Amino acid sequence: MQATTEQSGKKRKLAKIKNTNKFGYWFILPFFIVFAGFNLYPTLYTLYLAFVDISGFNFEGNFIGFQNFSYLVTNNLFLQASYNTMLLWVINFIPQIGLALLLAYWFTNYQLKLRAQGFFKSVFYFPNIITAASVAVIFFTLFDYPRGPVNMILMQTGVLEAPFDFFRSAFATRSIVAFIQFWMWYGQTSIVLTAGILSIDKSLYEAAVIDGATAWQTFRRITLPLLKPITLYVLITSLVGGLQMFDIPRLLTDGGPNNSVETLMTYIFRQAIEGGRNVSIAAAASVYLLILTIILSAIIFFLIRDKSEREA
Amino acid sequence: MMNANESKIKKQRILIYIFFGFLTLLSILPFWIVIVNATRTAEQIQQGLSLIPGTNFMENWRILRDGGFNIFQGYGNSFFIAFSSTALSMYFSCLTAYGLTVYDFKLKRPAYLLIMFMIMLPPQVNIIGFYRFMVNLGLLNSYIPLIVPAAASAPTVFFMKQYLQTIYHPALVDSARIDGASELKIFHSIVLPLMRPAIATMSIFGFVQSWNNFLMPLMLINDRSRFTLPMLVQLLTTDTYTTQYGSLYLGISMSIIPLILIYLFLSKHIIGGVTAGGVKM
């Protein structure tokens, strides 16, 4: 590239910079190569597998249309797994968002001026960082029958007369799984919501204080409505994560008792890796999981968005 | 009137601190019980709960080790995978973010939209195709499928791009360009060092996420000497430790202690990262 001396320095620089634009492709190329190989192709391959009849150790399959999908909608274990996955998410998320909102309200309350907030946030977030596999085994041993720590505490304090076998009760096992999810995530949710509240324009609160509003009134009338976008974000990311729940139910009871905590992911894993190796059934179940995720996210998105538009 | 209000708030505050104390116990007690039990005998554990450590640590350790629970190999394997995938993820995410921020090219907008779309896709829906593909490539028991995909981490690219937009200015690189430095060299010597704070934050999350990953290695690895830490934890529920309570608790403790140590030192950064990015692990 030879620039003549007549051109001004500025022009020359501009020309050079303009020419560098094609470098953008080189910078983003590695990302998209890895994406194509390890993400896009496996996704298309999963889609293909869902329409053929591969099981066992076969590598070739015949095209069978929607048979895998129609098999799944009549398969009791799959329906049970879909129901469980949604149920476990709902019963962990409702208390989770409730407590997180309460904590965020307290953390940002100008009248309370709570101290050691950094410490408490760290402590509430702490369970989130611990390996889910380890957490599952910890709760498995804590609720052990007959002489695990929880049974012993309940007997020593007289709540129970005889030890209770938690993992033989569907209700108890579901509650424990939901509690673990709640316990691992409420800290994260409360920190995100606190950050959301702190990003709201301060002058709104100042005006409310001048008007004599109580802390609760400002929270109810200013904070909550303005917090909707971030609540939407929390809801959808939690849903996407929750629908893929695997580690905890797998290591706690492997889906039992009576498949009460069998989730879509434990079902998919079981089909693909264990027993009959029904790869195509597992692939079709993955496609259902994707569709379910998209539908539920869309419902949440439109529910929250519409509501805020009506109120506006 | 003002005084009554003040004392009401004071009362409220005390109740909230008590509640916070309860939540603190809830966060710490399960781990505390596990770590304490790791130092007690199976009989002591069966007899009752204690919050004070016992003296059976060495014996528990002997039983754990003799049962084939090779924790140090697990640490090594998990560290190798987590470190490599984090390094790859940080480097290529910065590279991609730089490409998308600095240059203007035709496919820039579609590329960016594709990355945004990938953030919202549930990561596990293609796991069956991924698994089958790796089998076809003969990559079972290899760490490649656990490390290389980290080079295309959409959420990390997004975070890096957000950060880069706040610090990047064309004047930063203009003089280097006039001096004839290559684009890649400019990226390495000027931009990458400036991105250190963002890299530090995202590294922690990337490392922990890879370290904690269970499903992928569970599908791909079946050679015991290549097991990662979460897979070793799984062995605790199936192996000979079911009656050796002290060793069982010791095994769990050893699986969580590295993360507890990391958290003691880095919790401020981690909370900062969660606050800034709403990072979901």
Side-chain angles (χ1 to χ4, degrees):
Chain A
M1 209 166 104
Q2 301 232 319
T4 54
T5 40
E6 289 103 307
Q7 279 176 309
S8 74
K10 202 181 168 192
K11 241 185 178 172
R12 201 168 63 219
K13 218 161 69 185
L14 217 71
K16 265 200 158 180
I17 287 167
K18 228 179 188 172
N19 269 333
T20 58
N21 275 334
K22 65 174 189 303
F23 281 98
Y25 288 109
W26 292 106
F27 276 89
I28 68 168
L29 189 64
F31 178 98
F32 283 97
I33 290 175
V34 173
F35 163 72
F38 288 94
N39 199 335
L40 182 64
Y41 177 72
T43 305
L44 298 175
Y45 192 32
T46 306
L47 213 58
Y48 159 77
L49 288 169
F51 289 97
V52 295
D53 60 347
I54 290 181
S55 66
F57 288 89
N58 300 332
F59 272 87
E60 298 293 319
N62 306 307
F63 181 78
I64 54 165
F66 286 92
Q67 277 182 40
N68 293 322
F69 295 94
S70 50
Y71 165 79
L72 281 174
V73 289
T74 57
N75 180 283
N76 282 330
L77 184 56
F78 176 75
L79 295 176
Q80 172 87 53
S82 312
Y83 170 74
N84 291 340
T85 308
M86 288 187 276
L87 178 75
L88 288 171
W89 180 71
V90 170
I91 59 178
N92 108 74
F93 190 74
I94 292 172
Q96 185 196 127
I97 191 90
L99 179 60
L101 271 173
L102 190 64
L103 292 176
Y105 168 64
W106 284 336
F107 279 140
T108 56
N109 188 313
Y110 60 92
Q111 287 179 320
L112 286 169
K113 291 191 196 75
L114 295 177
R115 280 179 202 186
Q117 290 198 13
F119 169 78
F120 286 119
K121 280 179 192 166
S122 308
V123 171
F124 299 163
Y125 183 79
F126 172 59
N128 190 280
I129 200 175
I130 301 298
T131 318
S134 300
V135 168
V137 178
I138 288 174
F139 277 80
F140 180 73
T141 52
L142 291 180
F143 284 91
D144 192 25
Y145 173 86
R147 304 201 66 87
V150 173
N151 263 316
M152 280 197 285
I153 293 172
L154 291 177
M155 285 177 45
Q156 276 163 9
T157 52
V159 178
L160 283 181
E161 278 181 18
F164 180 67
D165 197 346
F166 291 93
F167 298 120
R168 277 177 181 248
S169 150
F171 177 76
T173 307
R174 275 181 180 152
S175 307
I176 290 169
V177 171
F179 173 78
I180 296 173
Q181 291 292 119
F182 160 81
W183 176 74
M184 287 183 82
W185 287 102
Y186 81 87
Q188 207 261 3
T189 308
S190 70
I191 292 170
V192 172
L193 292 179
T194 304
I197 294 175
L198 290 176
S199 71
I200 293 171
D201 191 352
K202 299 277 174 303
S203 62
L204 290 173
Y205 292 105
E206 281 155 17
V209 171
I210 292 167
D211 290 347
T214 64
W216 176 248
Q217 276 172 333
T218 49
F219 182 73
R220 178 76 194 74
R221 301 279 169 203
I222 298 175
T223 311
L224 275 187
L226 289 173
L227 211 52
K228 250 170 203 163
I230 201 140
T231 311
L232 180 70
Y233 165 82
V234 167
L235 254 163
I236 288 179
T237 49
S238 165
L239 177 81
V240 171
L243 290 182
Q244 300 184 78
M245 197 193 303
F246 174 79
D247 302 13
I248 305 277
R250 164 88 191 175
L251 283 181
L252 200 64
T253 60
D254 198 12
N258 290 322
N259 303 316
S260 57
V261 293
E262 178 87 335
T263 62
L264 283 167
M265 273 324 289
T266 61
Y267 177 84
I268 290 169
F269 182 84
R270 208 180 299 288
Q271 292 298 319
I273 306 290
E274 290 173 349
R277 292 187 164 256
N278 298 315
V279 174
S280 286
I281 298 291
S286 309
V287 176
Y288 268 128
L289 173 58
L290 178 63
I291 295 170
L292 188 69
T293 310
I294 293 172
I295 292 176
L296 291 179
S297 301
I299 291 175
I300 290 172
F301 182 79
F302 285 113
L303 272 182
I304 289 196
R305 209 196 55 169
D306 280 349
K307 235 176 149 187
S308 58
E309 272 173 4
R310 262 206 306 276
E311 279 171 22
Chain B
M1 167 82 193
M2 200 59 204
N3 247 347
N5 199 27
E6 287 269 288
S7 78
K8 202 182 132 205
I9 284 169
K10 216 171 222 171
K11 246 185 238 159
Q12 227 177 349
R13 204 179 285 142
I14 290 168
L15 285 176
I16 290 170
Y17 282 131
I18 292 171
F19 183 61
F20 280 8
F22 167 74
L23 290 180
T24 304
L25 274 183
L26 205 61
S27 278
I28 291 170
L29 207 56
F31 301 110
W32 186 249
I33 291 174
V34 167
I35 292 171
V36 166
N37 277 350
T39 64
R40 302 169 76 211
T41 66
E43 294 74 46
Q44 286 169 337
I45 293 168
Q46 293 265 284
Q47 271 157 20
L49 202 63
S50 165
L51 296 177
I52 302 148
T55 53
N56 207 47
F57 173 77
M58 286 315 287
E59 178 66 8
N60 289 340
W61 169 241
R62 200 184 54 73
I63 296 170
L64 186 69
R65 194 196 49 202
D66 292 351
F69 184 80
N70 198 338
I71 185 89
F72 292 106
Q73 199 168 47
Y75 284 155
N77 293 339
S78 281
F79 182 83
F80 175 74
I81 295 170
F83 181 85
S84 316
S85 64
T86 307
L88 267 187
S89 164
M90 292 310 123
Y91 179 75
F92 286 105
S93 298
C94 287
L95 201 68
T96 314
Y98 184 74
L100 289 173
T101 309
V102 173
Y103 303 106
D104 257 321
F105 49 95
K106 232 193 221 156
L107 294 177
K108 177 176 166 160
R109 184 131 185 92
Y112 185 61
L113 287 177
L114 184 59
I115 289 174
M116 293 304 292
F117 179 68
M118 282 165 65
I119 294 178
M120 289 186 260
L121 274 189
Q124 285 170 9
V125 292
N126 63 14
I127 193 154
I128 299 301
F130 186 85
Y131 170 70
R132 260 324 245 215
F133 184 39
M134 293 307 127
V135 173
N136 295 347
L137 292 177
L139 288 177
L140 280 193
N141 282 318
S142 155
Y143 288 159
I144 290 173
L146 300 176
I147 294 172
V148 177
S153 161
T156 315
V157 172
F158 179 70
F159 187 90
M160 294 303 181
K161 190 173 183 297
Q162 297 292 99
Y163 185 78
L164 198 57
Q165 274 166 345
T166 63
I167 60 159
Y168 178 79
H169 191 270
L172 269 176
V173 299
D174 270 358
S175 63
R177 232 172 232 165
I178 288 163
D179 289 345
S182 75
E183 293 301 308
L184 199 61
K185 185 158 191 273
I186 290 174
F187 170 73
H188 284 149
S189 59
I190 301 176
V191 179
L192 212 49
L194 286 175
M195 295 192 71
R196 230 178 263 149
I199 294 174
T201 301
M202 289 312 279
S203 301
I204 304 172
F205 289 99
F207 188 90
V208 171
Q209 191 178 37
S210 170
W211 179 275
N212 287 344
N213 188 4
F214 177 56
L215 177 58
M216 275 288 188
L218 185 65
M219 285 191 122
L220 295 163
I221 310 287
N222 50 45
D223 173 356
R224 250 197 198 212
S225 69
R226 299 179 75 79
F227 272 18
T228 61
L229 211 58
M231 298 174 76
L232 283 178
V233 170
Q234 186 202 20
L235 285 185
L236 290 172
T237 61
T238 55
D239 257 8
T240 47
Y241 307 107
T242 37
T243 53
Q244 294 295 346
Y245 293 103
S247 309
L248 171 66
Y249 282 110
L250 181 58
I252 306 172
S253 302
M254 297 194 75
S255 79
I256 60 174
I257 281 170
L259 287 172
I260 294 178
L261 290 179
I262 288 179
Y263 198 67
L264 281 179
F265 288 107
L266 297 177
S267 66
K268 244 188 195 148
H269 291 272
I270 292 173
I271 300 302
V274 177
T275 309
V279 196
K280 203 85 181 172
M281 293 215 295

